[in-house]
């Protein structure tokens, strides 16, 4: 190899070394003017808890809906039947609880009053026999045992009067306290069943949980929808976020609550977003490779809520924070 060839080879080697060094040092010394990102939407999926035919869809795709606005109705017959049954059982339980406090009806109390009158009449007869027999026994016309029998009959008649009166008083009091508490508990149980059935009835014809935009409709009127299968999806403004990626060396500048500025094609100028999430985990580079070059390629996901409504999928350029 002559002198000229040696010089040529040395020049090529030197040039290669310079290129390699430039490529290695570029991530370290280069400054990124913007951070790449995009707009992401997190829809709300609304479904019915029971399977059935979609009776009506009140909205269309892309429509703006207010909080509480009706969205759709899935066949409510089955759930309505369960609600009506629960309501009837609740009414029956309430009536039983009221009845437990009333005591017996006037007609039933009248029967007990008649029993008292009959017992008092028997007691008067027994006392009359006792008064008639007592002097006769003393005069020797009757044996002493006859007097004992008359006294026993009078005592028994008096006891029957007391028993009849207590029976009347107990009937007027109503049920025992334990029975009343049990009746009240059945009322509460029935009310809870009504509330549950009412909630399920509302779920087959829900309203919008918040102001949103109808993103998509999966089932239309007349179609049969399985239970818990989304009928449509909503996209509220607060669930639209700007997602971008921050290099590892700049991560400390991004905190929840901070504000970043960004731009997108066709958008107004001076847009901003409030940071809501900073990922604790890096992406794109395996975590076992921690050379200086690998660390320069580590990026972290950041999510921020924009100050204006954007369309999901839009690419954005975020101004880095210092």
């Amino acid at each position: 190899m002559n002198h000229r060839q040696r010089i040529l080879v040395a020049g090529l080697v030197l040039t290669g070394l310079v290129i390699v060094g430039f490529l290695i040092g570029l991530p370290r010394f280069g400054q990124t003017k913007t951070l790449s990102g995009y707009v992401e939407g997190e829809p709300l999926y609304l479904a019915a808890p029971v399977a059935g035919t979609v009776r009506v869809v009140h909205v269309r795709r892309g429509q703006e809906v207010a909080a509480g606005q009706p969205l759709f109705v899935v066949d409510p017959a089955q759930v309505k039947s369960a609600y009506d049954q629960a309501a009837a059982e609740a009414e029956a339980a309430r009536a039983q609880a009221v009845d437990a406090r009333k005591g017996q009806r006037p007609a039933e109390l009248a029967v007990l009053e008649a029993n008292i009158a009959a017992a008092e009449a028997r007691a008067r007869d027994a006392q009359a026999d006792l008064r008639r027999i007592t002097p006769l026994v003393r005069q020797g016309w009757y044996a002493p045992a006859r007097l004992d029998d008359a006294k026993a009959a009078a005592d028994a008649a008096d006891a029957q009067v007391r028993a009849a009166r207590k029976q009347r008083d107990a009937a007027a009091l109503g049920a025992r306290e334990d029975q009343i508490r049990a009746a009240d508990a059945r009322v509460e149980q029935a009310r809870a069943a009504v509330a549950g059935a009412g909630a399920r009835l509302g779920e087959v014809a829900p309203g919008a949980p918040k102001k949103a935009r109808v993103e998509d409709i999966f089932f239309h009127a007349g179609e049969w929808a399985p239970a818990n299968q989304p009928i449509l999806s909503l996209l509220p403004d607060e669930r639209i976020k700007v997602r971008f990626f921050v290099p590892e060396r700049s991560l400390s500048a991004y905190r929840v609550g901070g504000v970043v500025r960004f731009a997108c094609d066709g958008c107004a100028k001076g847009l901003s977003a409030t940071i809501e999430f900073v990922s604790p985990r890096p992406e794109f580079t395996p975590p076992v490779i921690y050379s200086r070059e690998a660390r320069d390629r580590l990026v972290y996901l950041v999510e921020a809520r924009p100050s204006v409504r954007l369309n999901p999928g839009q690419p954005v350029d975020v101004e880095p924070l210092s």
Side-chain angles (χ1 to χ4, degrees), residues 146-165:
R146 182 70 178 271
L147 180 60
D148 294 338
D149 291 341
K151 289 181 178 180
D155 292 340
D158 290 340
Q160 289 177 354
V161 171
R162 291 192 295 272
R165 288 173 178 172

Side-chain angles (χ1 to χ4, degrees), residues 111-127 152-170:
V111 172
L112 297 178
E113 292 289 350
N115 291 338
I116 293 174
E120 289 175 343
R122 289 192 295 268
R124 288 193 296 269
D125 290 343
Q127 289 294 333
D155 292 340
D158 290 340
Q160 289 177 354
V161 171
R162 291 192 295 272
R165 288 173 178 172
K166 289 185 178 298
Q167 186 178 10
R168 188 270 318 272
D169 294 341

Side-chain angles (χ1 to χ4, degrees), residues 194-259:
V194 171
R200 291 180 68 85
L201 186 60
E203 289 172 350
V204 301
K210 56 184 66 177
K211 180 182 178 182
R213 177 173 48 188
V214 179
E215 184 186 48
D216 205 351
I217 297 176
F218 308 112
F219 292 91
H220 297 272
E223 295 181 326
W224 189 89
N228 302 316
Q229 185 74 22
I231 306 297
L232 55 78
S233 62
L234 300 178
L235 187 59
D237 290 350
E238 62 267 25
R239 294 177 70 90
I240 298 177
K241 301 176 182 179
V242 173
R243 306 179 88 223
F244 59 97
F245 299 89
V246 177
E248 183 266 345
R249 64 179 177 274
S250 304
L251 183 63
S252 60
Y254 297 83
R255 293 288 183 268
V256 174
V259 177

Side-chain angles (χ1 to χ4, degrees), residues 5 14 25 29 41 57 74 76 101 117 126 153 157 165 209 212 227 235 251 305 312 320:
Q5 291 175 331
L14 180 60
F29 300 106
V57 177
V74 174
R101 288 175 167 82
R165 288 173 178 172
L235 187 59
L251 183 63
R305 181 185 296 181

Side-chain angles (χ1 to χ4, degrees), residues 102-318:
K102 284 182 176 179
Q104 296 189 12
R105 294 171 296 177
E108 295 170 329
L109 294 175
V111 172
L112 297 178
E113 292 289 350
N115 291 338
I116 293 174
E120 289 175 343
R122 289 192 295 268
R124 288 193 296 269
D125 290 343
Q127 289 294 333
D129 288 342
L130 179 61
R131 289 193 298 269
R132 180 175 57 81
I133 291 173
T134 298
L136 295 177
V137 171
R138 290 175 181 174
Q139 296 174 8
W141 291 98
Y142 292 124
R146 182 70 178 271
L147 180 60
D148 294 338
D149 291 341
K151 289 181 178 180
D155 292 340
D158 290 340
Q160 289 177 354
V161 171
R162 291 192 295 272
R165 288 173 178 172
K166 289 185 178 298
Q167 186 178 10
R168 188 270 318 272
D169 294 341
L173 291 175
R176 296 191 300 271
E177 291 185 3
D178 292 342
Q179 292 176 327
I180 292 175
R181 286 197 295 270
D184 290 340
R186 286 192 291 271
V187 171
E188 294 301 322
Q189 181 181 9
R191 286 176 178 172
V194 171
R200 291 180 68 85
L201 186 60
E203 289 172 350
V204 301
K210 56 184 66 177
K211 180 182 178 182
R213 177 173 48 188
V214 179
E215 184 186 48
D216 205 351
I217 297 176
F218 308 112
F219 292 91
H220 297 272
E223 295 181 326
W224 189 89
N228 302 316
Q229 185 74 22
I231 306 297
L232 55 78
S233 62
L234 300 178
L235 187 59
D237 290 350
E238 62 267 25
R239 294 177 70 90
I240 298 177
K241 301 176 182 179
V242 173
R243 306 179 88 223
F244 59 97
F245 299 89
V246 177
E248 183 266 345
R249 64 179 177 274
S250 304
L251 183 63
S252 60
Y254 297 83
R255 293 288 183 268
V256 174
V259 177
V260 295
R261 297 186 177 278
F262 68 94
C264 56
D265 296 339
C267 300
K269 296 184 180 299
L271 299 180
S272 63
T274 303
I275 297 175
E276 293 185 336
F277 172 75
V278 178
S279 175
R281 298 182 180 275
E283 300 185 26
F284 300 142
T285 301
V288 296
I289 305 176
Y290 278 145
S291 64
R292 168 58 64 179
E293 293 76 13
R295 288 174 59 185
D296 287 338
R297 291 194 296 271
L298 288 176
V299 291
Y300 290 78
L301 170 66
V302 177
E303 292 182 348
R305 181 185 296 181
S307 56
V308 296
R309 172 182 289 181
L310 299 173
N311 292 319
Q314 284 182 279
V316 297
D317 295 321
V318 180

Side-chain angles (χ1 to χ4, degrees), residues 48-89:
V50 296
T53 302
V54 179
R55 294 301 182 188
V56 62
V57 177
H58 297 290
V59 296
R60 63 183 183 277
R61 188 168 60 176
Q63 178 181 341
E64 299 288 337
V65 295
Q69 182 173 338
L71 298 175
F72 60 85
V73 178
V74 174
D75 189 5
Q78 180 180 355
V79 182
K80 182 64 167 56
S81 176
Y83 175 81
D84 292 342
Q85 180 180 355
E89 291 176 352

